[in-house]
Amino acid sequence: MSTNNNRDQKNFNQAALDYHSVEPKGKIEVIPSKPHSSQRDLSLAYSPGVAIPCLEIERDPKLAYEYTGKGNLVAVISNGTAVLGLGDIGAEASKPVMEGKGLLFKIFADINVFDIEINEKDPDKFIEIVKGIAPTFGGINLEDIKAPEAFYIEHRLKEELDIPLMHDDQHGTAIISAAALLNALEIAGKKIDEVKMVVNGAGAAAVACTKLYLELGLKKENILMCDSKGVINHKRTNLTPEKLDFVANTEMETLAEALKGADVFIGLSKADVMTPEMLLSMAENPVVFGLANPNPEINYELAMETRKDTIMATGRSDYPNQVNNVLGFPYIFRGALDVQARGINEAMKLAAVRALADLAKEPVPEAVILAYNLKNLNFGREYFIPKPFDNRLITKVSIAVAKAAMESGIAGKPIENFEDYENDLLDRMGRDEKLIRMMQNRARSNPKRVTLGNAEEYNVLKAAQILYEEGIAQPILLGEKKYVQEQMKKFGIELNVPIVDPMDEDQEENRIKYRETLWKLRQRKGMNEYKAKRYVRQRDYFGPLMLHHGDTDALIVGFSKNYSSTLKPILKIIEKD
């Protein structure tokens, strides 16, 4: 088994090198965004035409957002002192990670990025370099800078710059894990202001996470923070200012002691520090976030085998409930950039938390389920944080952040119409879908009754749910009522729409009406009254007869039958034009 694992790892390592070395080198590139095919285009792009906007910006620096790409350009900046789980590998070695971050900004939120690796470990010199290049950018994402310098660097830069700035290792993890925490506690039936929490790790991410949890209602007296030396208690000396904020008045010294009776474990440390015995000592329905990468503080399978009531999240994509920063930073910056915010404040972070938590409770689009090769996905123990490829994130989170920036008074350019803004966001992520959205918007203005055959099928029920919840149409489910209701319960689909069962007693009036119609339409083609009476109890005939009588505006059938057998009964009732 270990030989296979070694071979798989070797193959993956080679694949990673091949991926990064193939031409063109790197993961992001600069491409022209304006016409450049003629001499006139070039004279407008550069000399002499470029002088005109230069003078306008000199007169009013804010016009840089109007005449340049500044408003959609973020700097991803690192000095390489805390890169992923690799530690201090240096500025140049951090470049693949920073390019990767740029790629994520672009594909998830259409934000352009320059990655900047600064070979400087002195915090004050690093700050001066960033301040010097800041006019180029609409926002700055600090990345992979070690603590405690990261705290000082971010604090200074936030005070001295007037553009959105965030150290994602701190606040990105905090925002996503906070959203996951709210939902996990709801599933556990616990309140955040009552739970006892143990945080293992006291670096930049751990401190930022815990501070944000406090903003959500967690009580400071209910927190025990541990570092590599154990519980941060009143007996400890030589603590950093950040750790001093979380000193507990307790005699407990070890992680094992701290976890006894705890409701929540937040791991931002290293692999395998939590044992099954520690997990067993926690309270009922323990919430366990093992966020160490690449391996969590306790293996997911081991945790689930140890306690079936464990509610768990990790940083890994191959387990449920991945706390992935890509759920946050692209959309937080998107919303902040679009209102030209002068920073990223607590109100904006909390708005992102609430938006993410709420989104996980909404029905999951079929496209997301297909992307992850799942049968179904409903809010619960195995799904309480959205998936990274959920295309609703850009609208839900970005809009929430933009509104929070406006309400907290730091938006330089407020959004006037959020419906238009939502469409603009969707256009950014898929202009090919613009016609579809136009058609959907038109449908929403006058939703029609749409009857869906084969309503017992999961995919048909999911389609009905989407039509209903998005207001595109008024679905009518056609099928065996009892079985349809059983399937809805099985898949957790709640729909307050009519279920039409041709065999039901409440359809007797329609059956009589439809029988007479079918007999009259087909009496010269071999149809007698007995056959008509029998056929109208079949959905293949009942659905087209609903359409013929105006009892529905549209009919969608054929999910489980071939084209010819589906069309045959329809053509007996609905004439071709």
Side-chain angles (χ1 to χ4, degrees):
M1 182 66 73
S2 61
T3 302
N4 289 335
N5 289 339
N6 290 338
R7 187 185 302 115
D8 290 345
Q9 186 62 50
K10 185 177 180 180
N11 290 341
F12 181 82
N13 293 349
Q14 187 57 51
L17 293 174
D18 293 343
Y19 174 89
H20 285 83
S21 63
V22 69
E23 294 290 347
K25 297 292 193 293
K27 296 190 284 290
I28 53 178
E29 64 179 351
V30 177
I31 58 172
S33 60
K34 293 287 190 294
H36 52 277
S37 58
S38 68
Q39 179 58 41
R40 185 173 187 276
D41 290 339
L42 297 181
S43 68
L44 291 171
Y46 196 55
S47 182
V50 74
I52 311 304
C54 287
L55 294 172
E56 289 294 302
I57 295 168
E58 181 189 31
R59 181 179 59 81
D60 180 1
K62 289 184 178 179
L63 289 175
Y65 288 95
E66 182 70 22
Y67 296 122
T68 76
K70 174 174 179 169
N72 195 45
L73 183 62
V74 165
V76 174
I77 302 179
S78 180
N79 62 1
T81 53
V83 181
L84 299 177
L86 305 174
D88 185 354
I89 61 174
E92 197 161 1
S94 75
K95 186 171 177 64
V97 180
M98 302 312 124
E99 286 186 349
K101 195 68 176 278
L103 181 145
L104 297 177
F105 265 110
K106 187 64 179 178
I107 64 173
F108 285 108
D110 192 33
I111 294 173
N112 297 322
V113 165
F114 290 160
D115 64 289
I116 298 174
E117 294 73 38
I118 299 175
N119 189 22
E120 181 56 71
K121 294 183 180 180
D122 182 289
D124 290 308
K125 291 180 180 179
F126 183 91
I127 289 165
E128 290 307 311
I129 293 169
V130 174
K131 284 172 60 179
I133 63 174
T136 306
F137 303 100
I140 293 175
N141 181 98
L142 298 174
E143 193 80 14
D144 292 350
I145 302 168
K146 74 181 180 73
E149 290 90 335
F151 300 114
Y152 173 69
I153 289 169
E154 188 201 27
H155 178 73
R156 279 270 315 271
L157 288 173
K158 285 180 73 171
E159 282 192 339
E160 297 174 32
L161 295 176
D162 61 353
I163 56 176
L165 181 141
M166 189 169 79
H167 183 211
D168 189 47
D169 302 314
Q170 294 181 57
H171 305 295
T173 304
I175 289 163
I176 313 310
S177 67
L181 178 64
L182 289 178
N183 285 345
L185 290 176
E186 181 176 327
I187 293 164
K190 299 179 181 183
K191 296 180 179 179
I192 194 167
D193 59 348
E194 297 175 356
V195 298
K196 295 180 180 179
M197 176 182 287
V198 175
V199 180
N200 197 57
V207 170
C209 286
T210 312
K211 286 183 175 179
L212 190 57
Y213 305 158
L214 289 169
E215 293 279 344
L216 291 169
L218 181 68
K219 301 296 184 184
K220 200 165 189 177
E221 59 267 26
N222 291 340
I223 302 168
L224 289 176
M225 184 176 283
C226 304
D227 60 12
S228 59
K229 297 178 182 178
V231 176
I232 299 173
N233 61 23
H234 63 284
K235 295 186 285 186
R236 295 278 300 275
T237 57
N238 298 321
L239 295 171
T240 64
E242 291 75 29
K243 291 183 183 181
L244 284 171
D245 283 342
F246 296 100
V247 170
N249 186 20
T250 179
E251 296 298 319
M252 288 186 280
E253 295 186 349
T254 67
L255 177 61
E257 291 175 308
L259 280 170
K260 289 179 181 177
D263 298 287
V264 181
F265 170 79
I266 305 292
L268 292 149
S269 51
K270 61 181 182 179
D272 303 324
V273 295
M274 178 188 246
T275 65
E277 291 74 22
M278 293 179 190
L279 178 56
L280 286 167
S281 74
M282 293 181 70
E284 183 182 359
N285 286 320
V287 174
V288 176
F289 286 7
L291 305 182
N293 271 319
N295 297 313
E297 281 76 3
I298 183 169
N299 177 270
Y300 180 84
E301 287 90 354
L302 177 59
M304 292 301 152
E305 289 170 7
T306 302
R307 288 190 65 161
K308 301 297 183 186
D309 63 340
T310 302
I311 301 168
M312 188 165 180
T314 72
R316 292 179 58 135
S317 61
D318 52 347
Y319 297 132
N321 305 313
Q322 183 190 18
V323 175
N324 188 334
N325 285 17
V326 80
L327 294 170
F329 69 82
Y331 315 112
I332 293 166
F333 272 95
R334 180 77 275 158
L337 291 173
D338 290 340
V339 295
Q340 295 177 16
R342 294 186 293 277
I344 295 174
N345 60 20
E346 292 304 306
M348 295 160 74
K349 295 174 194 172
L350 290 171
V353 170
R354 301 289 184 188
L356 285 166
D358 290 344
L359 182 58
K361 299 175 187 177
E362 295 184 13
V364 181
E366 190 67 22
V368 177
I369 294 172
L370 291 172
Y372 289 90
N373 196 28
L374 298 170
K375 177 67 177 176
N376 197 16
L377 206 56
N378 293 310
F379 180 71
R381 289 173 179 265
E382 294 193 351
Y383 174 71
F384 52 77
I385 192 71
K387 295 287 189 180
F389 284 100
D390 192 327
N391 58 13
R392 299 170 298 172
L393 286 162
I394 191 167
T395 54
K396 300 291 185 180
V397 180
S398 300
I399 288 173
V401 169
K403 285 182 176 178
M406 291 165 57
E407 291 165 4
S408 59
I410 67 167
K413 185 182 178 183
I415 292 167
E416 295 180 1
N417 187 315
F418 275 94
E419 285 188 13
D420 289 346
Y421 178 52
E422 182 174 0
N423 284 326
D424 289 343
L425 290 171
L426 292 170
D427 286 346
R428 281 185 177 277
M429 302 318 299
R431 297 184 185 278
D432 292 342
E433 297 177 0
K434 191 170 184 178
L435 178 60
I436 295 173
R437 288 198 300 276
M438 289 172 62
M439 293 170 67
Q440 289 176 340
N441 290 337
R442 186 173 179 181
R444 288 188 187 98
S445 67
N446 184 21
K448 301 295 185 182
R449 297 165 300 168
V450 177
T451 297
L452 303 171
N454 302 104
E456 303 91 342
E457 298 287 346
Y458 166 76
N459 287 337
V460 175
L461 287 171
K462 197 69 179 177
Q465 185 179 43
I466 294 168
L467 291 173
Y468 176 76
E469 292 180 348
E470 295 191 5
I472 295 170
Q474 299 171 10
I476 299 170
L477 301 176
L478 180 62
E480 185 181 343
K481 182 179 287 188
K482 181 182 177 181
Y483 191 43
V484 170
Q485 291 171 336
E486 287 176 357
Q487 293 295 90
M488 290 172 69
K489 185 176 181 180
K490 175 182 177 182
F491 295 119
I493 295 174
E494 296 181 8
L495 277 175
N496 184 22
V497 300
I499 302 175
V500 174
D501 185 344
M503 299 290 288
D504 241 18
E505 290 182 7
D506 63 4
Q507 294 299 321
E508 178 63 23
E509 186 177 334
N510 282 332
R511 282 198 298 267
I512 294 171
K513 178 173 63 174
Y514 295 168
R515 181 182 70 207
E516 292 175 357
T517 298
L518 182 59
W519 184 27
K520 287 178 181 178
L521 286 171
R522 305 297 299 177
Q523 62 185 346
R524 293 183 179 275
K525 298 181 180 179
M527 180 72 67
N528 58 36
E529 189 173 5
Y530 172 77
K531 283 185 177 180
K533 185 177 181 179
R534 182 160 54 89
Y535 285 166
V536 294
R537 291 177 175 271
Q538 301 174 18
R539 70 184 75 178
D540 292 348
Y541 285 87
F542 199 93
L545 284 162
M546 289 175 66
L547 189 62
H548 178 85
H549 277 274
D551 294 332
T552 185
D553 299 306
L555 176 67
I556 300 176
V557 291
F559 179 81
S560 59
K561 287 189 175 182
N562 61 44
Y563 178 76
S564 59
S565 60
T566 299
L567 199 59
K568 190 175 179 180
I570 295 173
L571 293 176
K572 291 179 180 179
I573 299 162
I574 309 295
E575 292 186 1
K576 293 186 291 183
D577 289 333

